[in-house]
Amino acid sequence: MKIYLKKSDYEKILEYAVSELPNEACGLIAGIIRNDGEEEIRNIEKVYLLTNTDHSNEHFSLDPKEQLQSIKDMRENGLTPLGNWHSHPESPSRSSQEDIRLAFDKNANYLILSLMDRSNPVLNSFHVENGESTKEELIFID
Amino acid sequence: MTITVSGNKKEVKDELTVAELIVLENVEMPEYTTVSVNEEFIQRGDHETHKLKEGDVVEFLYFMGGGRS
Ligand SMILES: [Zn+2]
């Protein structure tokens, strides 16, 4: 699977995550799934910036009210929910044990933005299944 | 009666409860799912008693979260 993210959407996530420091920030991603031969291609067409209802630097939970509004917006725009994203203010861009435990959807893409090194933010996408998190191919496009 | 579930119209029996719909829809992890009917969240304790009506719009919102360690 290849996942494409527009640089402008990456900037949006980054800007919001920095503005929410020291807390973790989170949101949803939506887009279009297509097949290129055998391979699945996912284009992230829209990123959603949601409230972390935990307001914590160690936890995040998405606000169900905003989740509902986002899902409505995705439907109106013909987009498929693809997964979510959250930031790690002080740790690397990889799934924590708790992130894995609470990742219930094996079809979802879980994006993690590390702000540990503020001059060098890192965004990766993960697939979580059977208690294991695997890094996916995330490609930034103009 | 007809209701809308996750954006799709569905024919279901009259007075179907939220709890019955959860079973009918094979909702995985119901304990981590919030149900909304016409944009109102239905408390977990009310799932058994909340009866759906013609035209209701139901959404299942899966809990999304995580944490350090
Ligand atoms: Zn995390």
Side-chain angles (χ1 to χ4, degrees):
Chain A
M1 184 195 299
K2 282 196 178 80
I3 304 152
Y4 291 97
L5 175 66
K6 287 179 277 185
K7 281 185 190 140
S8 55
D9 281 336
Y10 167 70
E11 295 293 336
K12 249 190 195 173
I13 289 177
L14 179 62
E15 197 180 314
Y16 178 60
V18 168
S19 77
E20 290 295 300
L21 284 171
N23 292 339
E24 289 196 9
C26 55
L28 292 166
I29 54 172
I32 291 161
I33 303 177
R34 61 193 167 87
N35 283 297
D36 181 11
E38 292 288 281
E39 190 173 33
E40 188 173 301
I41 308 286
R42 294 185 173 202
N43 281 86
I44 299 171
E45 296 291 342
K46 194 161 179 181
V47 297
Y48 296 83
L49 314 174
L50 272 64
T51 304
N52 174 4
T53 56
D54 293 340
H55 301 290
S56 156
N57 64 343
E58 295 191 347
H59 282 101
F60 78 100
S61 301
L62 269 60
D63 180 347
K65 272 203 187 75
E66 295 174 355
Q67 231 177 311
L68 183 60
Q69 293 314 314
S70 306
I71 286 170
K72 278 175 63 183
D73 182 84
M74 290 174 200
R75 269 199 212 117
E76 279 162 20
N77 290 292
L79 300 175
T80 305
L82 297 179
N84 67 36
W85 69 269
H86 73 282
S87 66
H88 281 177
E90 290 139 41
S91 54
S93 172
R94 58 169 179 256
S95 311
S96 67
Q97 283 310 311
E98 187 74 348
D99 289 340
I100 292 172
R101 194 179 71 80
L102 294 171
F104 299 122
D105 187 354
K106 62 179 178 353
N107 295 312
N109 308 108
Y110 293 100
L111 271 53
I112 299 177
L113 172 69
S114 170
L115 299 171
M116 190 172 64
D117 176 357
R118 289 286 296 283
S119 56
N120 182 29
V122 180
L123 181 70
N124 287 312
S125 180
F126 298 91
H127 167 92
V128 183
E129 188 171 358
N130 299 325
E132 272 187 49
S133 167
T134 329
K135 197 168 141 180
E136 301 176 305
E137 191 175 354
L138 179 66
I139 300 155
F140 296 86
I141 52 171
D142 285 321
Chain B
M1 62 175 183
T2 308
I3 59 172
T4 303
V5 183
S6 307
N8 301 309
K9 288 220 171 356
K10 253 196 154 72
E11 198 59 40
V12 295
K13 67 164 188 169
D14 288 356
E15 305 209 319
L16 187 79
T17 65
V18 168
E20 288 170 325
L21 182 67
I22 287 172
V23 174
L24 207 64
E25 289 290 304
N26 291 318
V27 172
E28 289 176 58
M29 312 267 182
E31 66 276 29
Y32 283 104
T33 305
T34 302
V35 183
S36 76
V37 178
N38 305 328
E39 305 203 6
E40 294 283 334
F41 291 109
I42 308 298
Q43 297 297 316
R44 215 165 293 277
D46 296 334
H47 286 185
E48 301 279 345
T49 49
H50 189 101
K51 293 187 172 77
L52 296 166
K53 303 182 306 293
E54 170 75 30
D56 276 352
V57 176
V58 185
E59 296 284 352
F60 296 113
L61 300 163
Y62 298 94
F63 172 82
M64 288 191 195
R68 194 145 73 180
S69 76

